[in-house]
Amino acid sequence: MRFTLSSWPIIALGTASLFLAAVVATGLVCNERRQNESIARAITGGDPARAPALIRRYGCAGCHTIPGIPGGDGQVGASLSGLRSRVYIAGVTTNTPDNLVQWIVTPQAFSPRTAMPATGITEAEARDVAAYLYAQ
C-alpha cells in the first residue's frame, strides 16, 4: 500500500482512535476492579490487599488455583476463580461471606471428611482472604 502526504492525517486519526479506545477500556477495567473490591470489603469486613501475603503464608495456592496469585496453580482443591458467582462453597454450604470465612478457618465444621486442612488462619485473616476471592 502506498501512503501519500495527504493520507497521514487519516492514519494519525485512526491511531489516536485506537489509543483512546485502549485508554477507555483500561479505565473501565480499573473502575470495575475498584468497585468489586469495594463491595468485597463491605460484605466481608476484610481487606483484599492483605490477602496475597496471607495466601502465600498459609499455603492456599499449593492446593488451589487462585487468580492473581503468582504460583497459584494448585490442582488438589477446586479452582477459586469466579468464587463470588457460585451457589455453594465446596459443595457443602451456601456461598455467603460469613460461611466462606468460617470455611476458611474451620472447614471440618462444615465437612468432617474434607481434604482442606485447618491452617491456623485467624478469622480476621480469613476475612481478608474472603474479600480477595470475592473481589476477583
Side-chain angles (χ1 to χ4, degrees):
M1 175 178 250
R2 184 180 153 131
F3 296 106
T4 64
L5 190 56
S6 63
S7 63
W8 286 111
I10 295 169
I11 293 170
L13 181 60
T15 302
S17 296
L18 288 173
F19 178 73
L20 181 60
V23 168
V24 168
T26 301
L28 291 175
V29 168
C30 289
N31 188 38
E32 181 181 0
R33 181 168 296 163
R34 280 192 299 270
Q35 185 177 20
N36 288 343
E37 287 181 2
S38 179
I39 292 168
R41 286 174 199 270
I43 65 174
T44 63
D47 182 355
R50 291 192 293 246
L54 296 169
I55 289 168
R56 284 189 293 280
R57 181 185 315 151
Y58 289 103
C60 307
C63 293
H64 297 281
T65 298
I66 306 171
I69 301 296
D73 57 0
Q75 300 296 308
V76 176
S79 169
L80 299 180
S81 179
L83 184 69
R84 73 173 174 236
S85 65
R86 298 184 194 172
V87 176
Y88 293 102
I89 297 167
V92 298
T93 188
T94 54
N95 187 358
T96 67
D98 287 337
N99 283 349
L100 179 56
V101 169
Q102 290 311 307
W103 172 264
I104 293 169
V105 173
T106 53
Q108 291 76 20
F110 292 94
S111 180
R113 295 181 53 176
T114 184
M116 183 160 158
T119 62
I121 193 169
T122 68
E123 184 173 327
E125 292 170 326
R127 288 193 177 284
D128 293 338
V129 172
Y132 179 86
L133 295 173
Y134 282 148
Q136 299 308 301

